[in-house]
C-alpha cells in the first residue's frame, strides 16, 4: 500500500484546462517495498511492479479567498497513466458560494486499474462549470492511495 497526502494549499485548481493536481506531497504509507516510487516535486508515482491496483483518493476543495467569486463552480478530476486520462472525470462537487458555502469534496472510491512496470500515475483537475475565483485543496489531509492487488 502506498498513501500520500498533499502539502500544497496554494495552487489554483480552478482552470478551464486541466492542471496537475499536487496531491503527492508527503508519503504517509509505503509498506510495499519496491512497488512504488514517488516523485514529490513532480506530483507523480511510478509503478515498479506490473499488476492490478486499486486507486483511492479523497480531495477537499475550498476558495482561497472567500471574497472571490467561485459561485456555482464545479471541479472535476481524473487519474492519469503516463499523462493520459484512464477514467471518466469525477465531478459530484458543487460550490454555491452563498452563506459561506465555498467548500466541496470529491471521493474516488477504489477504482481498479491494470498498470505496467514503469507507468507514471498522477491526477489532474479542471473546472467543469462556474466562475474564476481561486480554488485550492482544503487542508493537508487530501490523499491518493495505491494498493497492489496482484498480477
Amino acid at each position: 500500500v502506498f498513501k500520500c497526502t498533499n502539502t500544497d494549499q496554494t495552487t489554483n485548481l480552478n482552470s478551464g484546462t486541466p492542471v496537475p493536481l499536487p496531491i503527492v506531497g508527503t508519503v504517509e504509507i509505503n509498506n510495499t517495498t519496491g512497488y512504488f516510487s514517488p516523485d514529490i516535486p513532480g506530483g507523480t508515482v511510478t509503478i515498479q511492479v506490473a499488476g492490478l491496483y486499486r486507486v483511492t483518493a479523497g480531495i477537499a476543495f475550498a476558495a482561497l479567498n472567500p471574497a472571490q467569486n467561485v459561485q456555482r463552480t464545479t471541479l472535476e478530476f481524473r487519474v492519469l497513466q503516463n499523462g493520459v486520462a484512464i477514467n471518466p472525470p469525477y465531478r459530484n462537487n458543487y460550490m454555491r458560494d452563498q452563506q459561506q458555502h465555498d467548500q466541496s469534496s470529491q471521493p474516488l472510491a477504489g477504482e481498479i486499474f491494470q498498470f505496467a512496470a514503469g507507468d507514471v500515475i498522477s491526477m489532474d483537475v479542471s473546472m467543469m462549470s462556474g466562475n474564476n475565483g481561486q480554488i485550492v485543496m482544503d487542508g493537508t489531509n487530501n490523499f491518493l492511495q495505491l494498493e497492489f492487488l496482484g498480477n
Side-chain angles (χ1 to χ4, degrees):
V1 174
F2 173 86
K3 181 180 179 181
C4 60
T5 55
N6 68 299
T7 55
D8 184 311
Q9 294 178 271
T10 59
T11 297
N12 182 21
L13 306 173
N14 193 19
S15 173
T17 58
V19 296
L21 184 66
I23 193 76
V24 183
T26 300
V27 175
E28 302 288 338
I29 300 170
N30 191 359
N31 65 5
T32 316
T33 305
Y35 283 67
F36 308 99
S37 178
D39 174 6
I40 291 174
T44 64
V45 179
T46 300
I47 300 297
Q48 301 297 321
V49 177
L52 290 175
Y53 287 82
R54 182 185 340 265
V55 178
T56 308
I59 302 162
F61 303 109
L64 181 61
N65 177 353
Q68 290 180 338
N69 184 14
V70 296
Q71 185 173 4
R72 296 185 178 100
T73 298
T74 301
L75 297 180
E76 60 186 22
F77 74 85
R78 303 174 302 172
V79 176
L80 307 177
Q81 180 181 17
N82 302 319
V84 177
I86 56 174
N87 65 312
Y90 292 97
R91 58 170 95 109
N92 70 358
N93 60 79
Y94 179 72
M95 290 184 173
R96 177 72 176 125
D97 198 25
Q98 254 182 349
Q99 288 86 37
Q100 304 304 312
H101 179 194
D102 56 3
Q103 304 93 15
S104 70
S105 62
Q106 182 68 48
L108 167 59
E111 192 164 350
I112 296 174
F113 299 103
Q114 179 77 46
F115 294 139
D119 280 350
V120 177
I121 309 306
S122 60
M123 299 177 79
D124 71 11
V125 63
S126 62
M127 175 179 65
M128 183 186 141
S129 63
N131 291 295
N132 295 322
Q134 285 190 298
I135 297 174
V136 297
M137 281 190 284
D138 191 12
T140 57
N141 58 351
N142 301 285
F143 71 93
L144 169 64
Q145 181 173 297
L146 304 170
E147 180 184 357
F148 179 71
L149 300 176
N151 294 325

